[in-house]
């Protein structure tokens, strides 16, 4: 059988408030410094272009703006898929939009469904997006979504699961960082899925401190790789064959509603 293994790189960075170009330059530096081998997927934190601040309209772009341009440039440079969320303006509405970029095009996008308290400038999304790429199926979600298990519920029909990997781009502040890990571990176990969590570090534009907590979690809830404090790229392998074997050996999905 085909040994299906992919390598992911999660970028934990300090996002400078409203300094889009400086942030892009900084991300490139972190990747080049920490990239130990080719990766198939790079994931940046939530609001990766300019972070959260009091006026979210100030740094918002149209869908084909600076945020997506940098994603495709990065995808081509490192020959992989790239994921991040950013403030996107569409028909006068502001969305916290996650974009999944391949080397040639946007494969899918997702607007944050569960808006955190104070994100009232944004319009909530209404639909989930499952992205099929790199030999697996991915459900990308954003930050506060991790608290709502029904929104990430995996389903299994005739042995076919909705997805194999949950991807959370986040800005979880320091006081709730441990909670983020616990929630992400729970999502992995209950859905028999890998979970990727990419969080930021440093202060945002509302003076909230973030300490990271970026991690790769396996379908049994084990942490395969976790960031140290500070800025870095966490690189880990996902083994989709091992995932299939686990699902077969422990067929909990047969009793899912």
């Amino acid at each position: 059988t085909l040994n299906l293994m992919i390598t992911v790189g999660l970028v934990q960075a300090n996002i400078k408030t409203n300094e889009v170009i400086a942030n892009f330059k900084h991300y490139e530096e972190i990747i080049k410094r920490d990239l130990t081998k080719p990766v198939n997927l790079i994931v940046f934190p939530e609001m990766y272009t300019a972070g959260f601040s009091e006026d979210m309209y100030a740094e918002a772009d149209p869908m084909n703006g600076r945020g997506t341009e940098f994603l495709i440039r990065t995808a081509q440079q490192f020959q992989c898929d790239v994921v991040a969320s950013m403030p996107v303006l569409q028909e006068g509405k502001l969305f916290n939009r996650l974009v999944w970029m391949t080397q040639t095009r946007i494969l899918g996008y997702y607007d944050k469904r569960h808006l955190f308290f104070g994100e009232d400038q944004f319009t909530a999304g209404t639909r989930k997006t499952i992205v099929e790429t790199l030999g697996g199926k991915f459900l990308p979600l954003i930050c506060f979504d991790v608290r709502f298990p029904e929104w990430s519920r995996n389903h299994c029909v005739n042995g076919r699961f909705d997805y194999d990997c949950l991807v959370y781009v986040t800005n979880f502040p320091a006081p709730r960082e441990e909670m983020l890990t616990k929630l992400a571990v729970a999502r992995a176990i209950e859905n028999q899925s890998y979970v990727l969590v990419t969080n930021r570090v440093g202060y945002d534009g509302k003076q909230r401190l973030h300490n990271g907590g970026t991690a790769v979690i396996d379908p049994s809830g084990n942490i395969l790789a976790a960031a140290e404090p500070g800025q870095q790229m966490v690189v880990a392998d996902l083994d989709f064959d091992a995932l299939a074997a686990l699902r077969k050996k422990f067929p909990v999905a047969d009793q899912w509603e």
Side-chain angles (χ1 to χ4, degrees):
T1 59
L2 179 72
N3 181 27
L4 199 53
M5 185 93 79
I6 71 160
T7 305
V8 298
L10 314 182
V11 180
Q12 178 168 288
N14 185 359
I15 306 167
K16 294 188 171 77
T17 307
N18 297 347
E19 292 189 37
V20 180
I21 305 306
N23 286 325
F24 291 166
K25 192 171 181 296
H26 190 46
Y27 295 141
E28 281 180 337
E29 287 164 3
I30 293 171
I31 297 169
K32 281 174 180 163
R33 183 194 71 197
D34 292 352
L35 197 63
T36 49
K37 58 179 177 176
V39 290
N40 305 101
L41 174 65
I42 291 174
V43 186
F44 291 107
E46 179 185 23
M47 285 290 134
Y48 96 116
T49 50
F52 278 104
S53 59
E54 295 300 338
D55 181 12
M56 291 310 302
Y57 283 92
E59 293 298 341
D61 276 323
M63 185 61 164
N64 58 353
R66 298 169 295 178
T68 46
E69 276 172 13
F70 179 77
L71 291 186
I72 197 161
R73 202 162 71 234
T74 305
Q76 289 169 352
Q77 185 177 354
F78 298 102
Q79 297 186 314
C80 63
D81 286 12
V82 185
V83 177
S85 100
M86 62 195 100
V88 171
L89 262 179
Q90 191 172 312
E91 292 164 7
K93 288 180 178 173
L94 183 66
F95 296 96
N96 180 344
R97 179 166 291 175
L98 178 148
V99 173
W100 195 295
M101 183 71 75
T102 68
Q103 294 172 59
T104 53
R105 65 191 179 95
I106 293 171
L107 203 55
Y109 70 87
Y110 163 72
D111 295 327
K112 186 175 185 178
R113 170 75 182 89
H114 299 97
L115 299 173
F116 193 63
F117 321 115
E119 284 180 53
D120 41 15
Q121 290 178 316
F122 292 97
T123 296
T126 55
R127 60 178 188 91
K128 286 183 283 196
T129 301
I130 288 172
V131 176
E132 210 161 333
T133 181
L134 306 172
K137 288 183 281 191
F138 298 79
L139 177 63
L141 299 173
I142 302 174
C143 204
F144 200 40
D145 286 332
V146 76
R147 276 185 169 272
F148 301 87
E150 70 287 353
W151 191 239
S152 62
R153 196 69 183 115
N154 214 344
H155 298 95
C156 182
V157 180
N158 300 326
R160 286 181 61 85
F161 286 75
D162 285 350
Y163 64 83
D164 308 303
C165 182
L166 267 165
V167 180
Y168 288 103
V169 301
T170 72
N171 274 200
F172 245 73
R176 292 188 293 280
E177 188 189 308
E178 204 176 306
M179 222 178 268
L180 169 61
T181 307
K182 287 174 177 169
L183 288 163
V185 165
R187 299 298 82 86
I189 296 168
E190 72 198 6
N191 293 301
Q192 284 194 324
S193 165
Y194 283 103
V195 176
L196 310 181
V197 176
T198 305
N199 199 21
R200 67 162 295 171
V201 294
Y203 286 93
D204 68 11
K206 296 182 173 187
Q207 291 310 302
R208 292 178 297 208
L209 176 65
H210 304 73
N211 286 334
T214 296
V216 179
I217 302 160
D218 81 5
S220 300
N222 304 305
I223 294 176
L224 297 179
E228 302 291 322
Q231 305 191 79
Q232 67 214 263
M233 186 181 195
V234 175
V235 178
D237 296 323
L238 309 186
D239 185 339
F240 287 138
D241 286 341
L243 171 63
L246 169 79
R247 287 169 167 176
K248 204 170 178 179
K249 185 182 169 191
F250 197 74
V252 65
D254 293 351
Q255 295 189 47
W256 286 350
E257 292 305 314

